[in-house]
Amino acid sequence: MKKIGILFGQENTFPQAFVDRVNEKAPADIRAEFVQINQVEQHVATDYAVIIDRISQDVPFYRAYLKNAALMGTAVINNPFWWSADEKFFNNALAVRLGVPVPKTLLLPSKARPTDTSERSFRNLEMMDWEAAFAHIGFPAYMKPHSGGGWKSVYKLHGPEDFFRAYDETNQLVMLFQESVEFTDYFRCYCIGGKDVLIMPYEPRNEPHLRYATEMKTTGDAGKKLLATMKDYVLKLNHGLGYDFNTVEFAVRDGIPIAIDFGNPAPDADLNSVGQANFDWVVEAAANMAIERAKAQVPGQDNLTWGTFVHPTTAKAASQPAQAKPKAAPKTTGSVKLGSPVHETNDLGATGAPKSNARKTAGAIKPEPATGEVPTGGKASAARKVAPKKKA
């Protein structure tokens, strides 16, 4: 008997529907259940051939458990080693390498020095040239954490004064400074198993409960071309990142889909958010993927999915039996579907996330007392006087 487990937190609708669907359609020797964790010992295998991870980004104990499980042969979805290293700035850089358009983006040093560092820790860092940065990115723009999500500590900026006011609030966070994309169409796209794609029209400028209640605006041959291009980009990004379960968001400007957010390996799959038709698609695709991975899983071997940027072949050869074969990359012949407009809420009856341009959001990271500043002055702008650069 091979077991498929799902590890989850506060969500209610998807985990049970996933378990029920797997158990309805899987062969008799494959069963699904909620993951049960008791004592966790190093180099001891779990009872699961496959684990769908929906919560370890918030629980470090679960992340350590999943890495140990993966070492012992569990196919963890998504790969916990890559997800631990993943962050938005690298993802954007990889997208450029893959030929997928993304917004112009700069990486900013944290405003406050990290704990246990001093001015001497930054002798390799030159002063920031803010005027050049503003000229390159332009306004309006966004400032967001280089590693984060849930719209926490995201600022919409309309000029240098907004920029410096927001930057002062970010404390030790490493931030991205990113151009704003004025779009005519917007989409959120599921990708499951590296092959099945669901494209959902989405309107982030609407009130939260109306964001999925929209239609694709590009029609005719241009619409068909846009859908095909987005499917191609979704597959490229997920193969590059090595994600089995992810969403990609596109803002369409001048007919070109620009990837805005595509590192969501525990994306919202709640019935009340995505609507019945989209929910059914996600449950079915996830169940098919999990059953397929359980059938292919070989105990004691590396059963993870690795992106094209990471090549663990050498490590596999050193750690696996001679007859072991590397797992093939996912085929790209899966389905693509245009999702249905829905009314977005959550399990508790509340409506969606805060507006993206809100200065402070519930649950946002609160600034801590600064312990000094990273030297990011550079050329003085009209909005900020800058101290002269000190010699190391």
Side-chain angles (χ1 to χ4, degrees):
M1 175 72 68
K2 285 190 172 183
K3 293 202 299 185
I4 297 170
I6 183 166
L7 184 66
F8 62 99
Q10 299 182 56
E11 62 180 335
N12 292 322
T13 57
F14 176 71
Q16 187 65 62
F18 168 80
V19 167
D20 291 345
R21 187 59 183 139
V22 170
N23 290 335
E24 286 171 0
K25 67 184 305 182
D29 60 344
I30 295 177
R31 306 305 294 165
E33 66 180 34
F34 297 161
V35 170
Q36 298 295 311
I37 302 173
N38 191 349
Q39 182 167 286
V40 181
E41 184 176 352
Q42 62 190 16
H43 207 261
V44 175
T46 73
D47 294 332
Y48 298 100
V50 177
I51 293 178
I52 306 292
D53 173 24
R54 303 283 297 164
I55 187 60
S56 76
Q57 74 277 7
D58 294 328
V59 183
F61 171 79
Y62 286 160
R63 179 56 58 90
Y65 162 80
L66 291 172
K67 288 180 177 178
N68 188 66
L71 176 67
M72 302 308 294
T74 300
V76 181
I77 298 171
N78 288 288
N79 184 332
F81 295 99
W82 175 242
W83 197 359
S84 297
D86 184 30
E87 43 88 354
K88 294 179 183 295
F89 186 69
F90 173 79
N91 288 357
N92 267 36
L94 182 61
V96 174
R97 173 71 60 88
L98 296 172
V100 177
V102 292
K104 291 184 293 185
T105 305
L106 295 177
L107 182 69
L108 305 179
S110 59
K111 182 63 167 63
R113 290 198 295 261
T115 305
D116 296 328
T117 64
S118 69
E119 187 175 352
R120 290 171 62 84
S121 304
F122 295 91
R123 288 181 287 178
N124 297 99
L125 182 63
E126 294 184 354
M127 299 295 238
M128 289 287 294
D129 185 341
W130 294 124
E131 291 180 355
F134 298 157
H136 178 63
I137 299 298
F139 289 103
Y142 283 92
M143 186 184 295
K144 62 180 72 171
H146 90 298
S147 181
W151 288 102
K152 294 180 181 178
S153 301
V154 175
Y155 302 86
K156 187 168 186 179
L157 314 170
H158 296 279
E161 290 186 0
D162 278 354
F163 176 93
F164 288 119
R165 189 180 301 112
Y167 196 35
D168 285 343
E169 294 182 10
T170 60
N171 196 32
Q172 294 184 12
L173 293 174
V174 176
M175 304 296 286
L176 302 181
F177 180 38
Q178 189 170 85
E179 73 167 316
S180 176
V181 177
E182 300 302 318
F183 56 87
T184 53
D185 250 323
Y186 199 96
F187 299 89
R188 178 171 286 171
C189 311
Y190 265 100
C191 184
I192 296 181
K195 58 183 179 180
D196 293 325
V197 177
L198 173 67
I199 299 175
M200 301 179 291
Y202 186 77
E203 178 49 87
R205 296 171 296 198
N206 283 352
E207 291 299 316
H209 66 288
L210 296 174
R211 288 178 182 169
Y212 281 98
T214 186
E215 301 283 350
M216 180 175 174
K217 299 173 182 64
T218 307
T219 59
D221 290 341
K224 294 177 182 178
K225 180 180 178 181
L226 177 60
L227 290 172
T229 300
M230 285 191 293
K231 181 185 179 183
D232 177 57
Y233 287 169
V234 167
L235 294 173
K236 281 182 176 178
L237 288 169
N238 282 277
H239 294 168
L241 294 168
Y243 282 140
D244 296 298
F245 199 141
N246 191 18
T247 54
V248 179
E249 294 185 15
F250 291 104
V252 180
R253 180 175 63 188
D254 299 327
I256 299 172
I258 299 172
I260 299 294
D261 186 16
F262 45 93
N264 299 294
D268 180 18
D270 180 61
L271 168 63
N272 299 301
S273 294
V274 301
Q276 189 68 57
N278 297 331
F279 179 79
D280 290 344
W281 184 96
V282 173
V283 170
E284 188 71 15
N288 290 339
M289 172 186 62
I291 294 168
E292 181 181 314
R293 294 293 296 276
K295 290 178 179 178
Q297 186 259 357
V298 179
Q301 294 187 13
D302 179 358
N303 293 285
L304 300 173
T305 296
W306 296 90
T308 55
F309 179 76
V310 181
H311 302 282
T313 307
T314 303
K316 284 185 180 181
S319 62
Q320 296 183 6
Q323 71 271 20
K325 296 181 180 180
K327 188 172 76 69
K331 295 181 180 180
T332 61
T333 56
S335 64
V336 59
K337 184 179 178 181
L338 183 65
S340 305
V342 299
H343 178 86
E344 181 185 32
T345 62
N346 59 33
D347 276 347
L348 302 179
T351 54
K355 295 181 180 179
S356 62
N357 62 350
R359 289 297 173 84
K360 296 182 180 179
T361 59
I365 299 173
K366 295 181 179 179
E368 300 172 359
T371 56
E373 293 187 4
V374 174
T376 55
K379 294 180 181 178
S381 71
R384 174 64 53 96
K385 294 183 179 179
V386 181
K389 185 175 179 180
K390 296 180 180 179
K391 294 183 178 179

